Amino acid sequence: MIVPSMTLYEIHKELDSDVRTLKSKIDYCHKDFKRKVLKASRYPFTHSYDCLTREKKNLFVVTLYAAKRSDREKPLINICGIYNRPEGKYAAALAIGMNLTTIHPPHFFKRYRERIVKDMKSSNDDIIRQYFFRNAWGFVAAPTDAKSEGVYNFFEAGDANISFVCVNSEGFCFGEKQGNINVMKTIISEEMLREDQKEVFAKLNENFALYNKDMFGSKYPG
């Protein structure tokens, strides 16, 4: 269980070790997903499952994706842990094979709600789940430079440390890398940018398009 006194590294270790106890549940999710894919009339097909670990009671959301019917045997799988701290609800995306965790604090989802979803009525849980349903399949990142930091400072007043900018299916995210932990700080949409600011992210957008083509062809789920 995640407790307020835990450091980022302790949270990373807790989630990384506890998710490994979910193997049988994830196997069940996969079996159920295969049945759903066979019954689906439209592709790509995506479905999410809530999985609670038995001993530590950590909540993980497991999302599976099949671009076509035959992908049901080897779907893409995304896993994120959702947990509470005094300041609000967090979500941590786990890249298990890479020993990497990307943590999204409450402020990130506040900005996602305001700038991307533009929905003030949905619950925080719904906003978090919507983000991962739409952006479960990775991002393309690059180290920040003076120009990208300038864009960040234009939209986010404050002294937050940022070390990378990334693009996903809905916008540009800024974050800080701390070893094998990424902390996402905020997100902005492309429509928020001025023309000169869009130029800053042109190469990032180009690389993201290539990533999508390599991964999904014409079946990108975003």
Side-chain angles (χ1 to χ4, degrees), residues 4 20 22 29 37 46 51 58 61 93 112 124 144 169 206 208:
R20 299 175 193 276
L22 285 175
C29 293
V37 171
T46 302
C51 296
N58 288 314
V61 178
Y112 179 68
N124 289 338
T144 52
S169 65
E206 180 182 329
F208 189 55

Side-chain angles (χ1 to χ4, degrees), residues 127-196:
I127 293 297
I128 291 171
R129 291 167 186 275
Q130 182 170 332
Y131 174 79
F132 283 103
F133 194 81
R134 293 181 176 181
N135 300 283
W137 315 114
F139 54 81
V140 172
T144 52
D145 57 18
K147 290 183 178 179
S148 56
E149 288 176 5
V151 175
Y152 173 84
N153 291 327
F154 182 82
F155 291 103
E156 293 284 337
D159 57 356
N161 293 321
I162 57 168
S163 53
F164 68 88
V165 58
C166 61
V167 56
N168 60 27
S169 65
E170 294 188 286
F172 302 99
C173 304
F174 296 83
E176 179 184 7
K177 186 170 181 60
Q178 299 184 23
N180 54 351
I181 301 166
N182 295 322
V183 181
M184 292 292 199
K185 299 297 182 73
T186 196
I187 184 171
I188 59 175
S189 67
E190 187 156 7
E191 67 182 18
M192 293 169 62
L193 299 174
R194 303 188 311 244
E195 286 304 315
D196 60 314

Side-chain angles (χ1 to χ4, degrees), residues 12-30:
H12 161 74
K13 283 185 64 178
E14 163 85 4
L15 295 176
D16 186 67
S17 63
D18 203 24
V19 75
R20 299 175 193 276
T21 69
L22 285 175
K23 185 180 184 306
S24 61
K25 287 188 177 181
I26 294 174
D27 287 345
Y28 170 80
C29 293
H30 187 193

Side-chain angles (χ1 to χ4, degrees), residues 73-99:
E73 297 297 334
K74 293 185 177 180
L76 294 178
I77 301 178
N78 173 274
I79 302 175
C80 73
I82 298 177
Y83 60 94
N84 286 297
R85 288 171 74 92
E87 61 272 24
K89 189 157 288 189
Y90 285 71
L94 308 179
I96 297 171
M98 300 170 62
N99 190 31

Side-chain angles (χ1 to χ4, degrees), residues 4 6-7 22-23 28 42 49 56-57 65 68-69 79 86 93 112 114 144 165 168-169 176 198 203:
M6 282 183 171
T7 65
L22 285 175
K23 185 180 184 306
Y28 170 80
R42 297 181 61 184
Y49 300 83
K56 296 188 176 181
K57 305 303 181 184
Y65 167 85
K68 54 188 181 298
R69 180 170 294 190
I79 302 175
Y112 179 68
E114 295 169 347
T144 52
V165 58
N168 60 27
S169 65
E176 179 184 7
K198 290 180 181 180
K203 184 63 176 178

